Amino acid sequence: QVQLLESGGGSVQTGGSLRLSCALSSGTYNRICIGWFRQAPGKEREGVAAIYTDGGNTHHADSVKGRFTISQDNAKNTVYLQMDSLKPGDTAMYYCAANDPQTGSWCYLDDYEYYYWGQGTQVTVSS
């Protein structure tokens, strides 16, 4: 059973930065996609970024390109989301998720592609 644990959320002002962490504590870290998603109150869940753990191919949503960067530390089975130039519109609960091993290196940002989810970490950006 894959278990994911997010950390690093908090409250910042507009223009600030946060780094979220997603540690995979059990299950295989090989050849999977790990994605970050967010959901604000009253809105649908949105895919933010994803990374293929075998080789590090990344996919960022247009809404965060140039501001957010997904990366990984394979030795720690951990994926990070560096968030810079934060805006109030980035306020949401952020979740990381993983799928089952795949051979292709492209990771989609559709939540139905992911089967294992963390509990989430809150990010609040004030103006």
Side-chain angles (χ1 to χ4, degrees):
Q1 181 70 21
V2 176
Q3 293 186 331
L4 302 164
L5 181 62
E6 305 101 332
S7 61
S11 298
V12 297
Q13 293 187 327
T14 298
S17 297
L18 284 172
R19 188 178 79 157
L20 306 183
S21 299
C22 173
L24 192 152
S25 61
S26 65
T28 181
Y29 191 79
N30 297 324
R31 297 184 297 112
I32 64 172
C33 291
I34 294 182
W36 283 100
F37 296 81
R38 64 185 182 186
Q39 189 166 22
K43 294 189 177 181
E44 292 187 355
R45 188 158 51 191
E46 172 191 16
V48 174
I51 188 166
Y52 186 60
T53 59
D54 186 8
N57 193 34
T58 62
H59 180 187
H60 294 80
D62 289 343
S63 59
V64 303
K65 277 182 181 177
R67 299 190 300 122
F68 292 10
T69 303
I70 191 169
S71 63
Q72 64 175 343
D73 184 336
N74 294 59
K76 297 181 178 179
N77 285 2
T78 299
V79 169
Y80 303 99
L81 184 68
Q82 178 66 41
M83 305 187 295
D84 298 318
S85 302
L86 283 161
K87 307 174 183 178
D90 296 317
T91 296
M93 184 70 78
Y94 283 71
Y95 300 90
C96 68
N99 65 354
D100 285 328
Q102 62 180 50
T103 54
S105 63
W106 179 252
C107 295
Y108 293 93
L109 295 180
D110 303 295
D111 56 4
Y112 57 79
E113 297 281 345
Y114 295 78
Y115 310 122
Y116 312 103
W117 292 80
Q119 295 296 313
T121 185
Q122 177 68 37
V123 171
T124 302
V125 185
S126 59
S127 57

